[in-house]
């Protein structure tokens, strides 16, 4: 069976790491047809639209999407794209790899981030000059869906430690609901779990990440805590992510367009290639996904590495080494 994969590199280093991931997928014995779409700052400048209808349609029709990054227009690109694929869960694994000088070498955790609401609901207002507001939306349905997904993910992937992140002592209504619902799901499943205030959790994650496995989070908390975890394992160039919907999904690195290094051919392609491995898992190619991960791990351990990891290899040199390992 041939799967149609939408490829949307976007801006900045998205233009460099997305083709690298496609090159890796093309090495595999899988039947993928790649359909390319444009989005982001440059597309906005050229067409007046950061996410043209053709690109939105490509993502909607594909079996899965590989997305690079968007710059200033990120909110106009990735938020609609996540909604087009119906994604309710953002899965962000953070693992320390052998051979890298990670701050916390025992890190192996996965953030399961609610992906549709919270402070990213897009409801902002200017009340009067100098006063602006933001509405934080938490619903029982979305909280239940992310909690179910998180507990199921932990079970399927053999994680024993499950933590529900919240700030219900301050955001009593919104995170009160999130926490109540997530705890109810845990109890219904007779699962063991902990709950943690997200600010204190940030400190514990930094100091003792080995105590954590799956962390179920409201939207913004998941975004921030997973970037913190990136710092523990060696930087944003290493963290992949999946945006999972009922019938469709989108895969992207946790990092953004990194304008500070864009165009220099020094972006670490690992996060994007590991995102492609998550795509392979999602489309039920577990053997190929494992092979890609092993190839990346081997290069991270003893192959040419990009400057963010202390090496001097270019994006292409590191990608070629990963392909050679495959
Ligand atoms: P966004 O708001 O879109 O998430 P951001 O402003 O958080 O983006 P990133 O683009 O994620 O920023 O980059 C943050 C820092 O990490 C930058 O210094 C960037 O150079 C570095 N970085 C991000 N991704 C990579 C990568 N793949 N390889 C090397 N360095 C990276």
């Amino acid at each position: 069976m041939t799967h149609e994969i939408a490829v949307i590199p976007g801006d900045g280093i998205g233009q460099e790491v997305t083709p690298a991931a496609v090159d890796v997928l093309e090495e595999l014995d899988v039947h993928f047809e790649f359909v390319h779409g444009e989005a982001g700052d440059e597309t906005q400048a050229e067409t007046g639209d950061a996410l043209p209808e053709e690109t939105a349609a490509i993502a909607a029709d594909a079996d899965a999407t590989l997305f690079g990054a968007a710059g200033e227009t990120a909110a106009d690109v990735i938020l609609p794209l996540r909604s087009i694929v119906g994604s309710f869960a953002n899965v962000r694994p953070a693992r320390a790899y052998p051979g890298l000088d990670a701050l916390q070498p025992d890190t192996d955790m996965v953030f399961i981030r609610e992906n549709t609401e919270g402070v990213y609901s897009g409801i902002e207002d200017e009340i009067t000059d100098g006063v602006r507001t933001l509405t934080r939306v938490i619903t029982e349905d979305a909280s239940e869906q992310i909690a179910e997904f998180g507990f199921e993910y932990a079970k399927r992937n053999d994680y024993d430690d499950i933590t529900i992140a919240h700030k219900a002592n301050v955001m009593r209504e919104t995170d009160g609901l999130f926490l109540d619902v997530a705890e109810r799901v845990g109890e219904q499943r007779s699962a063991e779990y902990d709950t943690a205030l997200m600010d204190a959790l940030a400190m514990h994650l930094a100091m003792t990440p080995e105590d954590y496995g799956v962390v179920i989070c409201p939207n913004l908390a998941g975004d921030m805590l997973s970037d913190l975890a990136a710092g523990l394992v060696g930087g944003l160039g290493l963290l992949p992510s999946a945006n999972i919907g009922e019938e469709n999904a989108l895969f992207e690195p946790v990092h953004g367009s990194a304008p500070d290094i864009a165009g220099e051919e020094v972006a670490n392609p690992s996060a994007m290639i590991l995102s492609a491995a998550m795509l392979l898992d999602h489309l039920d190619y577990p053997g190929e996904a494992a092979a890609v991960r092993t190839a990346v791990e081997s290069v991270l351990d003893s192959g040419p590495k990009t400057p963010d990891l202390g090496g001097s290899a270019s994006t292409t040199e590191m990608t070629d080494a990963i392909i050679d390992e495959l």
Side-chain angles (χ1 to χ4, degrees):
M1 175 183 175
T2 299
H3 288 289
E4 200 172 284
I5 311 295
V7 179
I8 308 174
D11 295 315
I13 62 169
Q15 296 274 351
E16 296 160 51
V17 297
T18 312
V22 172
D23 286 349
V24 169
L25 290 175
E26 280 180 334
E27 286 299 310
L28 302 171
D29 189 15
V30 291
H31 299 286
F32 284 172
E33 189 185 318
F34 297 100
V35 189
H36 296 262
E38 293 188 348
D41 298 357
E42 274 180 41
T43 311
Q44 160 112 316
E46 281 162 21
T47 67
D49 197 352
L51 182 67
E53 266 175 36
E54 310 89 82
T55 308
I58 286 171
D61 294 344
D63 294 303
T65 295
L66 264 186
F67 174 71
E72 295 296 315
T73 53
D76 302 320
V77 177
I78 190 59
L79 297 183
L81 274 177
R82 285 178 186 153
S83 131
I84 284 164
V85 302
S87 143
F88 60 89
N90 187 204
V91 182
R92 295 183 160 195
R95 267 189 66 199
Y97 294 97
L100 294 185
D101 197 14
L103 277 178
Q104 290 287 12
D106 295 326
T107 307
D108 179 1
M109 53 197 175
V110 183
F111 295 87
I112 305 292
R113 167 191 173 197
E114 200 289 320
N115 214 14
T116 64
E117 52 185 29
V119 293
Y120 290 170
S121 307
I123 310 171
E124 288 193 287
D125 273 311
E126 179 167 359
I127 301 294
T128 177
D129 218 16
V131 182
R132 297 176 190 190
T133 59
L134 162 70
T135 302
R136 184 173 195 261
V137 179
I138 298 284
T139 64
E140 182 167 358
D141 284 353
S143 304
E144 185 172 295
Q145 196 173 27
I146 196 67
E148 287 282 2
F149 184 91
F151 279 103
E152 185 60 29
Y153 185 96
K155 193 169 134 196
R156 256 189 295 122
N157 294 282
D158 294 328
Y159 281 98
D160 294 329
D161 298 308
I162 303 171
T163 307
I164 302 166
H166 69 96
K167 187 74 180 167
N169 58 339
V170 175
M171 296 183 279
R172 293 190 184 131
E173 290 300 328
T174 52
D175 264 13
L177 178 62
F178 182 84
L179 178 61
D180 284 351
V181 172
E183 286 205 276
R184 187 179 74 207
V185 169
E187 274 145 31
Q188 280 164 352
R189 290 173 155 264
S190 305
E192 290 202 10
Y193 63 87
D194 286 316
T195 66
L197 290 168
M198 56 178 78
D199 45 354
L201 178 61
M203 180 192 73
H204 291 299
L205 289 178
M207 295 182 75
T208 54
E210 64 278 9
D211 291 346
Y212 296 90
V214 165
V215 186
I216 301 171
C217 312
N219 203 338
L220 176 62
D223 202 6
M224 294 183 64
L225 293 173
S226 55
D227 269 29
L228 180 145
L232 302 181
V233 302
L236 279 169
L238 295 169
L239 258 67
S241 84
N243 296 275
I244 304 291
E246 303 276 7
E247 285 167 17
N248 204 335
L250 178 146
F251 301 83
E252 57 172 333
V254 167
H255 64 72
S257 61
D260 53 333
I261 56 166
E264 293 176 19
E265 251 281 309
V266 292
N268 183 346
S270 305
M272 188 79 227
I273 293 172
L274 292 168
S275 302
M278 294 180 86
L279 177 149
L280 287 163
D281 264 331
H282 180 73
L283 294 178
D284 214 13
Y285 293 102
E288 287 79 359
V292 170
R293 275 190 201 103
T294 304
V296 172
E297 279 166 30
S298 163
V299 171
L300 289 175
D301 187 24
S302 53
K305 290 185 261 300
T306 44
D308 57 305
L309 302 177
S312 57
S314 69
T315 306
T316 310
E317 283 163 349
M318 191 165 171
T319 306
D320 288 347
I322 292 167
I323 290 172
D324 284 349
E325 282 296 325
L326 266 177

